[in-house]
Amino acid sequence: MIRATARKICMLGDFGVGKTSLVARYVHGTFSEKYLTTVGVKVDTCQVARPDGTDCKLVVWDMAGRNGVDALAASYLRGASGLLMVADGTRAATLRTALDLLMQARAVVPDAAAVLMLNKLDLIEHWEIEPLTVAELRNSLPVFETSALSGDGVVRAFAALTAKLPA
Amino acid sequence: MSALPPPVLAHLQHTVLARLHPTVFSYAADGRFLGCSGEPAAFGLDADPSGSADLLRDLFIGMDEEAACELPFIVLPGGRSTHLHRLRDGEGFHILLLDAGDEHARQQAQQQIANEETLAGQEKSKAIGLLKRIRSDLESERSELEEANALKSALISTLSHEFRTPLTSVFGYLHLLERVIGRDPNAVQALRAIQRNATYLFTLAENLLEYGRGDSGTALLHPDEIDLLALARDVEAMIRPLADDKRLELVFDIRVREEDRPVYDELRVRQILVNLLSNAARYTVAGRIGVGLAFADGQLAIEVADTGPGIPPEYRERIFEPFNRGGPGGRKGAGLGLSIVRRLVQQMGGQITLDSAPGQGSRFRVELPQQVRTGGADLVADAPDRTELWTRARSAIVVDDDPDVAHLLESLLLDLGFKVEVHPNAADGEAAAARERPDLLLVDVHLSGSSGNALVFRLRAQGYRGAIVTVSANASREAQDAALKAGASAFLTKPIELSRFILTIQRALQRGG
């Protein structure tokens, strides 16, 4: 039996919501305006401090944007301890996709912790998602308004997920 | 199947190795890294493969350790896309890396186009939605404005009625008093003062109503033959006290031949004159006001010149705007006069010019082409013989709930030789008209408890084909249109003036239903 030395977290969401940009912001502190679609999975790793003071290695699976969990996606999801669901605040439909994906992912990894990132906070004047909707969502799972461009909320969202990961 | 020939096999082996850069990381059963063979650098992995071994092993966390498994298109931190295979080998296992860079690039290019098209489509839908919303907002705003405009028209209508009715009464009684008052100089002076102020009030009220009508061209013009000399005398009588108070010289120069009977809307010409002269009297401190009135070659020229402060060039356009009081020192009056003058001049197809300089007074010149009489004279000319009309049309019904007006209409019709029936309400009037089928029906629009237009509509719907004249204090185009649309042959506005009354009756009898 291989001892798990790292925690696998998967980022899921519709295409173009900014998953890759959020990882780039969190792991490398960078941002690119250019949209480059992800094929398959991009993996990255980083060391994070847990609330109990211990360090934890995260293996972040940035999965290609999709609106359903097919067999391939299910194979990518296996072993994930955490799910970072991502939606684009300027496209209300991506929130529905993120919630659909979360339900489907739970069928594969029922015990995975999850948080929701509502990205593109820097474009708040174009948001289609209503504040009341966000308030409602917060009753079900942690929700963070984020901006990969400015970095707003990104660290907090990752930290919140890390805190929920099993020891 | 026989084995491939050795050269083919060798070629394939070379090709696959060259394209896929197979690299293997080997592990013991407990996950300990044992060693690496192949080209880890081709995948962007550390030169010391042991540094990447943990990452590769961790990618298979949670997966079935007993079975072989594959993870396609994994982009490693070094940036190279890889197909990863975990293969059992006794108690331990290997992780095989095969380069997927070329395939990844192809798929990414296709996916990129598809995604960008979808995003562009979504943006387009959003933009269309936004435009639709804007259009809907604009429509709703337009509807609100129309509502507000309708409200304004209704208000003006009401004001029109409210102003005209009592003023008509005031003027009527003033004429009566004039005849009976005798020669008591104090009484005559008082009467003149009342006349002047009533006229001024009437002009002010007309100005406000004119302004309220807006630029929609709904002002009704009633051109008819006018007596310019009499008009000038009236206006002079109104303005002279103002001029006398300031010791201003007021000089009229009227050039109209006795035989000329120019055709204009007297009320509007009077409004123009009164407004121009009131302004001159207000703003001129000393000196004179000269008024020129000349009618020649079908054109009326009105000129009002004063020795007032004059108007600086930068104010010359602004003074024609509503609620503007003529420049730096202007603080008198409602600021509507000149805007009304310009509008009236434009409505009559004329033009107004201003010649002025600071300290040198102002000279307004209005030129008005002669108007065409509305219906009246032409109608009379083309109409059958007047007597024949009256002879043929002998019966009339008046429906009006105001006994004074009903009595007035009855008297006028009796004078014209009609046999007249009067009914104070719509129901009786309608029943009588349906029964008697009179030649002429006069209906007030505002009947208590009913609309005169509704009565007209119902009668027409019952096949009544006689002449119907709708009478109203509301002179707006909308009121006229509504009456005609309901089936009236003609529309008559209060206050009722005899010659217009006769012409309207004639026109209605000609047209019938």
Side-chain angles (χ1 to χ4, degrees), chain B residues 116-380:
Chain B
E116 282 177 353
E117 275 179 2
T118 307
L119 286 172
Q122 287 173 354
E123 282 300 313
K124 190 176 153 190
S125 303
K126 217 184 270 188
I128 289 170
L130 183 67
L131 286 173
K132 279 184 182 166
R133 242 193 341 271
I134 290 170
R135 199 172 100 175
S136 158
D137 287 350
L138 285 173
E139 276 172 2
S140 133
E141 273 176 32
R142 191 183 66 180
S143 156
E144 279 171 21
L145 283 173
E146 279 172 358
E147 222 169 275
N149 203 36
L151 195 65
K152 189 188 82 174
S153 298
L155 179 68
I156 289 167
S157 250
T158 308
L159 281 175
S160 172
H161 187 273
E162 296 300 320
F163 275 124
R164 281 202 174 106
T165 307
L167 280 169
T168 304
S169 173
V170 168
F171 285 122
Y173 282 110
L174 279 173
H175 285 303
L176 187 66
L177 279 173
E178 203 171 15
R179 284 210 297 272
V180 300
I181 206 161
R183 295 188 176 192
D184 178 348
N186 287 334
V188 169
Q189 193 182 359
L191 190 67
R192 292 277 174 267
I194 295 170
Q195 275 174 332
R196 273 197 309 278
N197 286 293
T199 306
Y200 183 55
L201 185 60
F202 186 69
T203 308
L204 271 181
E206 286 296 318
N207 272 359
L208 279 171
L209 294 173
E210 190 64 45
Y211 170 73
R213 281 189 190 107
D215 294 318
S216 54
T218 53
L220 295 174
L221 295 174
H222 297 293
D224 207 342
E225 285 182 359
I226 62 170
D227 183 343
L228 273 176
L229 286 168
L231 173 62
R233 274 197 301 274
D234 281 356
V235 174
E236 183 182 0
M238 187 192 294
I239 301 300
R240 186 160 295 284
L242 296 175
D244 288 349
D245 283 350
K246 296 172 127 181
R247 299 179 189 283
L248 299 172
E249 192 185 351
L250 178 62
V251 182
F252 274 75
D253 176 16
I254 300 165
R255 298 181 186 190
V256 184
R257 292 181 305 174
E258 282 288 333
E259 63 271 28
D260 278 340
R261 285 289 170 190
V263 174
Y264 290 97
D265 184 325
E266 185 179 332
L267 179 65
R268 305 307 182 200
V269 174
R270 185 189 297 265
Q271 265 183 293
I272 291 171
L273 270 169
V274 169
N275 276 309
L276 289 177
L277 280 165
S278 304
N279 272 0
R282 274 197 203 107
Y283 292 106
T284 305
V285 178
R288 77 192 287 274
I289 299 169
V291 186
L293 269 178
F295 180 75
D297 302 327
Q299 178 113 331
L300 174 64
I302 302 172
E303 201 167 279
V304 176
D306 62 49
T307 53
I311 298 159
E314 65 268 28
Y315 287 94
R316 275 187 210 154
E317 188 54 33
R318 212 186 298 173
I319 57 166
F320 291 106
E321 299 298 326
F323 301 110
N324 201 293
R325 298 192 185 96
R331 296 246 172 215
K332 302 163 186 169
L336 283 173
L338 287 176
S339 72
I340 299 295
V341 168
R342 181 160 75 171
R343 187 190 296 174
L344 290 173
V345 169
Q346 285 170 347
Q347 278 170 358
M348 288 192 262
Q351 57 178 1
I352 181 167
T353 53
L354 166 63
D355 180 17
S356 182
Q360 301 197 6
S362 305
R363 180 185 297 269
F364 288 90
R365 184 176 170 82
V366 171
E367 288 174 359
L368 298 172
Q370 179 154 235
Q371 310 290 290
V372 177
R373 252 184 298 202
T374 47
D378 297 339
L379 200 77
V380 172

